[in-house]
Amino acid sequence: MAPYESDDNTNEDLRTGRRKAARYVVPVAVLGVAAATIGLVPAFAGSGDPDLPDITAQQLIEKIAASDVQQLSGTVKISTDLGLPNLGGLENSLGGGMGGGGDDSGSSADPSSKLLELASGTHTLRVASDGEDKQKLSLLDKAAEYSVIHNGDEVWAYDSASNEAYHVKDSSGAAEKGTKGKADDVPATPKELAEEALKAADDTTSVTVDGTAQVAGRDAYKLLIKPKASGSTVGAISIAVDSKTGLPLKFTLTPASGGAAVIDAGFTKVDFSKPAASTFDFSPPKGTKVTEGDEAKAEGRADRAQPKGGEDLGKEFQGLNVIGEGWSSIAQFDTGGEGMPSESSGAGDAGRFLDSLGDHVTGKFGSGTVFSTRLVNALITDDGKVYAGAVTKDALVKAANAAK
C-alpha cells in the first residue's frame, strides 16, 4: 500500500472526498450541524476481529461515497432510545382527543406517519432493492406487517393490521418523489443514517478509523465520528462499512451522557444477489381500503396544514437563525406566539402535563421551559422564541441570554 500523505498535502483530496458525499442530507434536529477533520491513522484489527488491509478515514469515506450497491436484500434491526416521555398521559388527560393516527391522509398506511414508529423502541425491518426503480421496506411486528413498495412509477404502502393501503401512481416520476418525501423522511437503514452523518464532515469533528468488525457475516471497517468540543449531546457515531462493497452495515450513535445508544441500526442478514422480481409486486388483498395519494391530499392534507385561525403555517415561524457552528449549532426562531401553554396560563390539564415534561428556567431572556431528550433539547421562552439543537440545556440558556 502506498505511504500515507500528510494533512498538508491532502486538503484538496479531503474537499473532493466531501464533495463526493454532498448528496447526503442531514436532519439538523437529529445530528446538529456537524463537521470533521479526517484522521490519517489506518485501521487496526483487535483480537477476534477480521484482519483487513490498512485504510485511512479519507479512503474509507471515499469508499462509502463510491459505493453503488444496486441489488440487495436483508434484515435490519433498529433500536432508538431518545428518552422521549410516554405521551399516553396527555391523551388520557384530554379525554382521548389526540387519537386518529396523525397522518395527512387519514389512512393508517400513509408512510408519512407510519414510519415515525421507528423513532422509538426496537424494530425489525426487511429491506430489498433492485436498482433505482425497485425497493421494498417492511416493518415487521409480532402479528402484522407494514410495507412500502416502489416499483417503477407506482408506490404502494400496505398495513396488514388495518387492511388499509396507500397508493401513488405518476408516470412523470412523482411517485418516486412521493416515496422520498414520505418513507425516506425517516432514515431506516445503516446506509441512510451513515449518509446523514457524513454530510456533516468539516472542522469541528474528528473522523478516524477505529478498527474492524464483523456485521451480518461480512468483514467491515469501523469509522468513528466524534465532536471535538464540549457542549454537544452527541458522544460519538460509529459506522461499520463493508470492506468489499463500501456499504454501511451498522450505525451506532451514543450520547455524550453515556449509557445505551440513542440509535443503533444494523444488518443482521444481508445478501447482495438480485432479489426475485415478485418481491416488488403488490396487489391489495380483497376488502382492502385503498387511499389514493391525490385523494388524500384533497380530503385531509390541506386542512391539517393550516393552524387554527387559517393563518399560513410558514408565517408562524419567523426568521430561522443558526447560532454557533458545528455540533454546538442551535436553531433559533420565533413562533410569533406566547410560548408554551402551562397550568398557570390557564391551559388546564394539557398545560399541567406539559409543565411536567419540561424544566423551568430563567435568565436575561425572561423565563421559559426546556424540553429534553437524550439527544435533542429545546428551550421555548414565554415570549414564543425557540432555541433547539443537539446541545446541553446550559448551552440553550446561554444562547437565549446572548440573544437579548
Side-chain angles (χ1 to χ4, degrees):
M1 194 170 193
Y4 302 127
E5 298 176 89
S6 69
D7 284 307
D8 292 338
N9 293 333
T10 57
N11 286 339
E12 180 59 33
D13 289 338
L14 298 184
R15 288 191 289 269
T16 301
R18 289 168 188 156
R19 284 196 294 269
K20 289 182 180 179
R23 66 181 182 274
Y24 303 145
V25 178
V26 185
V28 174
V30 176
L31 295 176
V33 182
T37 295
I38 308 298
L40 296 179
V41 179
F44 61 91
S47 177
D49 293 329
D51 187 10
L52 298 173
D54 289 346
I55 192 170
T56 66
Q58 179 184 321
Q59 290 168 333
L60 189 51
I61 286 177
E62 290 178 345
K63 190 177 186 71
I64 296 171
S67 178
D68 191 29
V69 175
Q70 296 290 314
Q71 299 172 334
L72 69 79
S73 57
T75 304
V76 174
K77 181 179 179 180
I78 179 169
S79 296
T80 309
D81 182 8
L82 289 169
L84 295 171
N86 184 346
L87 298 181
L90 177 59
E91 183 169 353
N92 293 335
S93 70
L94 298 178
M98 293 185 67
D103 57 53
D104 287 334
S105 69
S107 169
S108 68
D110 189 340
S112 61
S113 64
K114 186 67 177 179
L115 292 182
L116 290 178
E117 292 180 13
L118 299 178
S120 63
T122 298
H123 303 275
T124 299
L125 305 174
R126 191 163 54 230
V127 298
S129 177
D130 185 7
E132 295 183 356
D133 294 331
K134 293 183 178 181
Q135 296 95 32
K136 182 176 181 178
L137 183 150
S138 298
L139 175 60
L140 309 180
D141 202 347
K142 292 180 180 179
E145 179 175 323
Y146 174 80
S147 295
V148 179
I149 306 102
H150 170 214
N151 192 343
D153 62 358
E154 292 196 84
V155 174
W156 281 97
Y158 176 66
D159 184 2
S160 68
S162 63
N163 198 27
E164 292 190 25
Y166 184 90
H167 179 231
V168 178
K169 180 178 176 63
D170 190 334
S171 60
S172 67
E176 182 177 353
K177 294 176 183 177
T179 305
K180 294 292 183 185
K182 291 181 178 295
D184 287 357
D185 278 348
V186 183
T189 66
K191 179 177 183 293
E192 293 166 350
L193 290 161
E195 287 173 349
E196 292 168 355
L198 289 177
K199 175 62 177 178
D202 213 327
D203 293 338
T204 65
T205 308
S206 167
V207 179
T208 57
V209 181
D210 188 33
T212 64
Q214 266 216 341
V215 178
R218 305 281 300 187
D219 290 347
Y221 294 102
K222 294 191 296 183
L223 188 69
L224 186 65
I225 303 173
K226 297 179 68 173
K228 285 185 174 181
S230 61
S232 174
T233 55
V234 176
I237 294 172
S238 177
I239 303 170
V241 182
D242 185 70
S243 62
K244 291 185 177 180
T245 67
L247 179 74
L249 298 174
K250 187 174 175 63
F251 175 99
T252 304
L253 188 157
T254 53
S257 58
V262 173
I263 302 172
D264 187 43
F267 280 96
T268 58
K269 296 180 181 179
V270 64
D271 183 348
F272 292 105
S273 59
K274 181 182 177 71
S278 59
T279 303
F280 310 101
D281 293 338
F282 178 80
S283 296
K286 185 177 181 180
T288 300
K289 176 186 175 183
V290 177
T291 300
E292 296 292 337
D294 291 341
E295 174 186 327
K297 183 176 180 179
E299 292 182 355
R301 193 167 299 153
D303 291 339
R304 290 181 175 86
Q306 295 293 332
K308 291 183 179 180
E311 298 174 1
D312 182 77
L313 185 61
K315 295 179 181 179
E316 291 292 302
F317 299 97
Q318 307 286 336
L320 177 65
N321 297 311
V322 176
I323 302 171
E325 63 179 0
W327 297 85
S328 299
S329 295
I330 296 172
Q332 186 272 328
F333 58 93
D334 191 344
T335 66
E338 299 180 355
M340 290 294 296
S342 64
E343 184 178 10
S344 61
S345 67
D349 288 340
R352 183 160 49 251
F353 182 77
L354 290 172
D355 284 344
S356 71
L357 296 180
D359 295 327
H360 186 72
V361 294
T362 59
K364 294 179 181 179
F365 59 87
S367 61
T369 304
V370 174
F371 296 92
S372 300
T373 72
R374 298 179 67 218
L375 188 63
V376 180
N377 294 321
L379 165 62
I380 304 178
T381 65
D382 288 346
D383 61 358
K385 292 183 174 59
V386 177
Y387 300 82
V391 297
T392 63
K393 178 174 73 174
D394 290 344
L396 294 176
V397 172
K398 182 178 180 180
N401 284 333
K404 281 297 181 181

Coordinates of all heavy atoms in Angstrom, one line a residue, residues 63-139:
K63 N -14.7 5.4 -0.1 CA -15.2 4.1 -0.4 C -16.7 4.1 -0.2 O -17.5 3.5 -1.0 CB -14.6 3.0 0.5 CG -14.8 1.6 0.1 CD -14.1 0.6 1.0 CE -14.2 -0.8 0.6 NZ -13.5 -1.1 -0.7
I64 N -17.2 4.7 0.9 CA -18.7 4.8 1.1 C -19.3 5.6 0.0 O -20.3 5.2 -0.6 CB -18.9 5.5 2.5 CG1 -18.4 4.6 3.6 CG2 -20.4 5.7 2.6 CD1 -18.5 5.3 5.0
A65 N -18.7 6.8 -0.4 CA -19.3 7.6 -1.4 C -19.3 7.0 -2.7 O -20.2 7.2 -3.5 CB -18.5 8.9 -1.5
A66 N -18.3 6.1 -3.0 CA -18.3 5.4 -4.3 C -19.1 4.2 -4.4 O -19.3 3.6 -5.4 CB -16.8 5.1 -4.7
S67 N -19.6 3.7 -3.2 CA -20.4 2.5 -3.2 C -21.7 2.6 -4.0 O -22.4 3.6 -4.0 CB -20.8 2.2 -1.7 OG -21.6 1.0 -1.7
D68 N -21.9 1.6 -4.9 CA -23.0 1.7 -5.8 C -23.8 0.3 -5.8 O -24.0 -0.3 -6.8 CB -22.5 2.0 -7.2 CG -23.6 2.3 -8.1 OD1 -24.7 2.8 -7.7 OD2 -23.5 2.0 -9.4
V69 N -24.1 -0.1 -4.6 CA -24.8 -1.4 -4.4 C -26.3 -1.2 -4.9 O -27.0 -0.3 -4.4 CB -24.8 -1.8 -3.0 CG1 -25.7 -3.1 -2.8 CG2 -23.4 -2.1 -2.5
Q70 N -26.6 -1.8 -6.0 CA -28.0 -1.7 -6.6 C -28.9 -2.8 -6.2 O -30.1 -2.6 -6.2 CB -27.8 -1.7 -8.1 CG -27.1 -0.5 -8.7 CD -27.8 0.8 -8.5 OE1 -29.0 0.9 -8.8 NE2 -27.1 1.8 -8.0
Q71 N -28.3 -4.0 -5.8 CA -29.2 -5.1 -5.6 C -28.8 -5.7 -4.2 O -27.6 -6.0 -3.9 CB -29.0 -6.2 -6.6 CG -29.4 -5.7 -8.0 CD -29.0 -6.7 -9.1 OE1 -28.1 -7.5 -9.0 NE2 -29.8 -6.6 -10.2
L72 N -29.8 -5.8 -3.3 CA -29.6 -6.5 -2.0 C -30.9 -6.8 -1.4 O -31.9 -6.3 -1.8 CB -28.8 -5.6 -1.1 CG -29.4 -4.3 -0.6 CD1 -30.3 -4.5 0.6 CD2 -28.3 -3.3 -0.1
S73 N -30.8 -7.7 -0.5 CA -32.0 -8.0 0.4 C -31.4 -8.3 1.8 O -30.3 -8.8 1.9 CB -32.8 -9.2 -0.2 OG -32.0 -10.3 -0.3
G74 N -32.2 -8.1 2.8 CA -31.7 -8.4 4.1 C -32.6 -8.0 5.2 O -33.7 -7.5 5.0
T75 N -32.2 -8.2 6.4 CA -32.9 -7.8 7.6 C -32.1 -6.8 8.5 O -30.9 -7.0 8.7 CB -33.2 -9.1 8.5 OG1 -33.9 -10.0 7.6 CG2 -34.1 -8.7 9.7
V76 N -32.8 -5.8 8.9 CA -32.2 -4.7 9.7 C -32.9 -4.6 11.0 O -34.1 -4.6 11.1 CB -32.2 -3.4 9.0 CG1 -31.7 -2.3 9.9 CG2 -31.5 -3.4 7.7
K77 N -32.1 -4.6 12.1 CA -32.6 -4.3 13.4 C -32.3 -2.9 13.8 O -31.1 -2.5 13.8 CB -32.1 -5.3 14.5 CG -32.6 -5.1 15.9 CD -32.0 -6.2 16.8 CE -32.6 -6.0 18.2 NZ -32.0 -7.0 19.2
I78 N -33.3 -2.1 14.2 CA -33.0 -0.7 14.6 C -33.6 -0.5 16.0 O -34.8 -0.8 16.2 CB -33.6 0.3 13.5 CG1 -33.4 1.7 14.0 CG2 -35.1 0.0 13.2 CD1 -33.7 2.7 12.9
S79 N -32.8 0.1 16.8 CA -33.3 0.4 18.2 C -33.0 1.9 18.4 O -31.9 2.4 18.1 CB -32.5 -0.3 19.3 OG -32.7 -1.7 19.2
T80 N -34.0 2.6 18.9 CA -34.0 4.1 19.1 C -34.4 4.4 20.5 O -35.5 4.0 20.9 CB -34.9 4.8 18.1 OG1 -34.6 4.4 16.8 CG2 -34.6 6.3 18.2
D81 N -33.5 5.1 21.2 CA -33.8 5.4 22.6 C -33.5 6.9 22.8 O -32.4 7.3 23.3 CB -33.0 4.5 23.6 CG -33.3 4.8 25.0 OD1 -34.3 5.6 25.3 OD2 -32.6 4.3 25.9
L82 N -34.4 7.8 22.5 CA -34.3 9.2 22.6 C -34.6 9.7 24.0 O -34.4 10.8 24.4 CB -35.1 9.9 21.6 CG -34.6 9.9 20.1 CD1 -35.7 10.4 19.2 CD2 -33.3 10.6 20.0
G83 N -35.2 8.7 24.8 CA -35.6 9.2 26.2 C -36.9 10.0 26.1 O -37.1 10.9 27.0
L84 N -37.7 9.8 25.1 CA -38.9 10.5 25.0 C -39.9 10.1 26.0 O -40.0 9.0 26.4 CB -39.6 10.3 23.6 CG -38.8 10.9 22.4 CD1 -39.4 10.4 21.1 CD2 -38.7 12.4 22.4
P85 N -40.7 11.1 26.6 CA -41.7 10.7 27.6 C -42.9 10.0 27.0 O -43.1 10.0 25.8 CB -42.2 12.1 28.1 CG -42.0 13.0 26.9 CD -40.7 12.5 26.2
N86 N -43.5 9.2 27.8 CA -44.7 8.5 27.4 C -45.9 9.5 27.3 O -46.3 10.1 28.3 CB -45.1 7.4 28.4 CG -46.3 6.6 28.0 OD1 -47.0 6.9 27.1 ND2 -46.5 5.5 28.7
L87 N -46.4 9.7 26.1 CA -47.4 10.7 25.8 C -48.8 10.2 26.1 O -49.8 10.9 25.9 CB -47.3 11.2 24.4 CG -46.0 11.9 24.0 CD1 -46.1 12.4 22.6 CD2 -45.7 13.1 25.0
G88 N -48.9 8.9 26.6 CA -50.2 8.4 26.8 C -51.0 9.2 27.9 O -52.2 9.3 27.8
G89 N -50.2 9.8 28.8 CA -50.9 10.6 29.9 C -51.6 11.8 29.3 O -52.6 12.2 29.8
L90 N -51.0 12.4 28.3 CA -51.6 13.6 27.7 C -52.9 13.2 27.0 O -53.9 13.9 27.1 CB -50.6 14.2 26.7 CG -51.2 15.4 25.9 CD1 -51.6 16.5 26.8 CD2 -50.2 15.9 24.9
E91 N -52.9 12.1 26.3 CA -54.1 11.6 25.6 C -55.2 11.3 26.6 O -56.3 11.7 26.4 CB -53.8 10.4 24.8 CG -55.0 9.9 23.9 CD -54.6 8.9 22.9 OE1 -53.4 8.6 22.8 OE2 -55.6 8.3 22.3
N92 N -54.8 10.7 27.7 CA -55.8 10.4 28.7 C -56.4 11.7 29.4 O -57.6 11.8 29.6 CB -55.2 9.5 29.8 CG -54.9 8.1 29.3 OD1 -55.5 7.7 28.3 ND2 -53.9 7.5 29.9
S93 N -55.5 12.7 29.6 CA -55.9 13.9 30.3 C -56.8 14.7 29.4 O -57.6 15.5 29.8 CB -54.7 14.7 30.7 OG -54.1 15.3 29.5
L94 N -56.7 14.5 28.1 CA -57.6 15.2 27.1 C -58.8 14.4 26.7 O -59.4 14.8 25.7 CB -56.7 15.7 25.9 CG -55.6 16.6 26.2 CD1 -54.8 16.9 24.9 CD2 -56.1 17.9 26.8
G95 N -59.0 13.3 27.4 CA -60.2 12.5 27.0 C -60.0 11.8 25.7 O -61.0 11.5 25.0
G96 N -58.8 11.4 25.4 CA -58.6 10.7 24.1 C -58.7 11.5 22.9 O -58.8 11.0 21.8
G97 N -58.6 12.8 23.0 CA -58.8 13.7 21.9 C -57.6 13.7 20.9 O -57.7 14.4 19.9
M98 N -56.6 13.0 21.2 CA -55.5 13.0 20.2 C -55.4 11.8 19.4 O -54.5 11.5 18.7 CB -54.1 13.1 21.0 CG -54.0 14.4 21.7 SD -52.4 14.6 22.5 CE -51.3 14.6 21.1
G99 N -56.4 11.0 19.3 CA -56.5 9.8 18.5 C -56.6 10.2 17.0 O -56.8 11.3 16.6
G100 N -56.5 9.1 16.2 CA -56.8 9.4 14.8 C -55.6 9.2 13.9 O -55.6 9.5 12.7
G101 N -54.5 8.7 14.4 CA -53.3 8.4 13.6 C -52.4 9.5 13.3 O -51.2 9.3 13.1
G102 N -52.9 10.8 13.1 CA -52.0 11.9 13.0 C -51.4 12.1 11.6 O -50.5 12.9 11.4
D103 N -51.8 11.3 10.6 CA -51.2 11.5 9.3 C -52.0 12.4 8.4 O -53.1 12.9 8.8 CB -51.0 10.2 8.6 CG -52.3 9.4 8.4 OD1 -53.2 10.0 7.8 OD2 -52.3 8.2 8.8
D104 N -51.5 12.8 7.3 CA -52.2 13.8 6.4 C -53.4 13.2 5.7 O -54.3 13.9 5.3 CB -51.2 14.3 5.4 CG -50.2 15.3 6.0 OD1 -50.5 15.9 7.1 OD2 -49.1 15.4 5.5
S105 N -53.4 11.9 5.4 CA -54.4 11.3 4.6 C -55.5 10.7 5.3 O -56.6 10.5 4.8 CB -53.7 10.2 3.7 OG -53.4 9.1 4.5
G106 N -55.4 10.4 6.6 CA -56.4 9.7 7.4 C -56.2 8.2 7.2 O -57.0 7.5 7.8
S107 N -55.3 7.8 6.4 CA -55.0 6.3 6.2 C -53.9 5.9 7.1 O -52.9 6.5 7.2 CB -54.7 6.1 4.7 OG -54.2 4.8 4.6
S108 N -54.1 4.7 7.8 CA -53.1 4.2 8.6 C -51.9 3.7 7.8 O -50.9 3.4 8.4 CB -53.7 3.0 9.5 OG -54.0 1.9 8.6
A109 N -52.1 3.6 6.5 CA -51.0 3.1 5.7 C -50.1 4.2 5.1 O -49.1 3.9 4.4 CB -51.6 2.3 4.5
D110 N -50.4 5.5 5.4 CA -49.7 6.6 4.8 C -48.3 6.6 5.5 O -48.1 6.7 6.7 CB -50.4 7.9 5.2 CG -49.7 9.1 4.5 OD1 -48.5 9.0 4.1 OD2 -50.4 10.1 4.3
P111 N -47.2 6.4 4.7 CA -45.8 6.4 5.2 C -45.4 7.6 6.0 O -44.5 7.5 6.8 CB -45.0 6.2 4.0 CG -45.9 5.7 2.9 CD -47.2 6.3 3.2
S112 N -46.0 8.7 5.7 CA -45.6 10.0 6.4 C -45.7 9.9 7.9 O -45.1 10.6 8.6 CB -46.4 11.2 5.9 OG -47.8 11.0 6.1
S113 N -46.6 9.1 8.4 CA -46.8 8.9 9.8 C -46.4 7.5 10.3 O -45.9 7.4 11.4 CB -48.2 9.2 10.3 OG -49.1 8.3 9.7
K114 N -46.7 6.5 9.5 CA -46.4 5.1 10.0 C -45.0 4.9 10.3 O -44.7 4.3 11.3 CB -46.9 4.2 8.9 CG -46.8 2.7 9.3 CD -47.8 2.4 10.4 CE -47.8 0.9 10.7 NZ -48.8 0.6 11.8
L115 N -44.1 5.4 9.5 CA -42.7 5.1 9.7 C -42.1 5.9 10.9 O -40.9 5.7 11.3 CB -41.9 5.3 8.4 CG -42.1 4.3 7.3 CD1 -41.3 4.5 6.1 CD2 -42.0 2.9 7.8
L116 N -42.9 6.9 11.4 CA -42.4 7.6 12.6 C -42.3 6.6 13.8 O -41.7 7.0 14.8 CB -43.3 8.8 12.9 CG -43.2 9.9 11.9 CD1 -44.2 11.0 12.3 CD2 -41.8 10.5 11.8
E117 N -42.9 5.5 13.7 CA -42.8 4.5 14.8 C -41.3 4.1 15.0 O -41.0 3.7 16.1 CB -43.6 3.2 14.4 CG -45.1 3.4 14.4 CD -45.9 2.2 14.1 OE1 -45.2 1.1 14.1 OE2 -47.1 2.3 13.8
L118 N -40.5 4.3 14.0 CA -39.1 4.0 14.1 C -38.4 4.9 15.1 O -37.2 4.7 15.5 CB -38.4 4.0 12.8 CG -38.9 3.0 11.7 CD1 -38.2 3.2 10.4 CD2 -38.8 1.6 12.2
A119 N -39.0 6.0 15.5 CA -38.4 7.0 16.4 C -38.3 6.5 17.8 O -37.6 7.2 18.6 CB -39.2 8.3 16.3
S120 N -38.8 5.4 18.1 CA -38.7 4.9 19.5 C -38.8 3.3 19.5 O -39.4 2.7 18.6 CB -39.8 5.4 20.4 OG -41.1 5.1 20.0
G121 N -38.2 2.7 20.4 CA -38.3 1.3 20.6 C -37.4 0.5 19.7 O -36.5 1.1 19.0
T122 N -37.5 -0.8 19.6 CA -36.8 -1.7 18.8 C -37.6 -2.3 17.7 O -38.7 -2.8 18.0 CB -36.1 -2.8 19.6 OG1 -35.2 -2.2 20.6 CG2 -35.3 -3.8 18.8
H123 N -37.2 -2.3 16.5 CA -38.0 -2.8 15.4 C -37.1 -3.6 14.4 O -35.9 -3.4 14.3 CB -38.6 -1.6 14.6 CG -39.4 -0.7 15.4 ND1 -40.8 -0.9 15.7 CD2 -39.1 0.5 16.1 CE1 -41.2 0.0 16.5 NE2 -40.2 0.9 16.7
T124 N -37.8 -4.5 13.7 CA -37.1 -5.3 12.7 C -37.7 -4.9 11.3 O -38.9 -4.9 11.1 CB -37.3 -6.8 12.9 OG1 -36.8 -7.2 14.2 CG2 -36.7 -7.6 11.9
L125 N -36.7 -4.6 10.4 CA -37.1 -4.3 9.1 C -36.6 -5.3 8.1 O -35.5 -5.8 8.3 CB -36.5 -2.9 8.7 CG -36.8 -1.7 9.6 CD1 -36.0 -0.5 9.1 CD2 -38.3 -1.4 9.6
R126 N -37.4 -5.6 7.0 CA -36.9 -6.4 5.9 C -36.8 -5.4 4.7 O -37.7 -4.7 4.4 CB -37.9 -7.5 5.6 CG -37.3 -8.6 4.7 CD -38.0 -9.9 4.7 NE -39.5 -9.7 4.5 CZ -40.4 -10.2 5.3 NH1 -40.1 -10.9 6.3 NH2 -41.7 -9.9 5.0
V127 N -35.6 -5.4 4.1 CA -35.4 -4.5 3.0 C -34.9 -5.2 1.8 O -34.3 -6.3 1.8 CB -34.3 -3.4 3.4 CG1 -34.7 -2.6 4.6 CG2 -32.9 -4.1 3.7
A128 N -35.3 -4.7 0.6 CA -34.9 -5.3 -0.7 C -34.7 -4.1 -1.7 O -35.5 -3.2 -1.6 CB -35.9 -6.3 -1.2
S129 N -33.8 -4.3 -2.6 CA -33.6 -3.3 -3.6 C -33.1 -3.9 -4.9 O -32.3 -4.9 -4.9 CB -32.6 -2.2 -3.2 OG -32.3 -1.3 -4.2
D130 N -33.6 -3.4 -6.1 CA -33.1 -3.9 -7.4 C -33.0 -2.7 -8.3 O -33.9 -2.4 -9.1 CB -34.0 -4.9 -7.9 CG -33.5 -5.5 -9.3 OD1 -32.3 -5.2 -9.6 OD2 -34.2 -6.3 -9.9
G131 N -32.0 -1.8 -8.1 CA -31.8 -0.6 -8.8 C -32.7 0.5 -8.3 O -33.3 0.4 -7.2
E132 N -32.7 1.6 -9.0 CA -33.3 2.8 -8.5 C -34.9 2.7 -8.6 O -35.6 3.5 -7.9 CB -32.9 4.0 -9.4 CG -31.4 4.4 -9.2 CD -31.0 5.6 -10.0 OE1 -31.9 6.1 -10.7 OE2 -29.8 6.0 -9.9
D133 N -35.4 1.8 -9.4 CA -36.8 1.8 -9.6 C -37.6 0.7 -8.8 O -38.8 0.6 -8.9 CB -37.1 1.6 -11.1 CG -36.7 2.7 -12.0 OD1 -36.7 3.9 -11.4 OD2 -36.3 2.5 -13.1
K134 N -36.8 -0.1 -8.0 CA -37.5 -1.1 -7.3 C -36.9 -1.2 -5.9 O -35.7 -1.6 -5.7 CB -37.3 -2.5 -8.0 CG -38.0 -2.6 -9.3 CD -37.9 -4.0 -9.9 CE -38.7 -4.1 -11.2 NZ -38.5 -5.5 -11.8
Q135 N -37.7 -0.9 -4.9 CA -37.3 -1.0 -3.5 C -38.5 -1.5 -2.7 O -39.7 -1.2 -3.0 CB -36.8 0.3 -2.9 CG -35.5 0.9 -3.6 CD -35.9 1.9 -4.6 OE1 -36.9 2.6 -4.6 NE2 -35.0 1.9 -5.7
K136 N -38.2 -2.1 -1.6 CA -39.3 -2.5 -0.7 C -38.7 -2.5 0.8 O -37.6 -2.9 1.0 CB -39.7 -4.0 -1.0 CG -40.9 -4.4 0.0 CD -41.4 -5.8 -0.4 CE -42.5 -6.2 0.5 NZ -43.1 -7.6 0.1
L137 N -39.5 -1.9 1.6 CA -39.2 -1.9 3.1 C -40.4 -2.4 3.8 O -41.5 -1.9 3.7 CB -38.8 -0.4 3.5 CG -38.3 -0.2 4.9 CD1 -37.4 1.0 5.0 CD2 -39.5 0.1 5.8
S138 N -40.2 -3.3 4.7 CA -41.3 -3.9 5.5 C -40.9 -3.8 7.0 O -39.8 -4.1 7.4 CB -41.5 -5.4 5.2 OG -41.9 -5.5 3.8
L139 N -41.8 -3.2 7.7 CA -41.7 -3.1 9.2 C -42.5 -4.3 9.8 O -43.7 -4.4 9.6 CB -42.3 -1.8 9.7 CG -42.4 -1.5 11.1 CD1 -41.1 -1.5 11.8 CD2 -43.1 -0.1 11.4

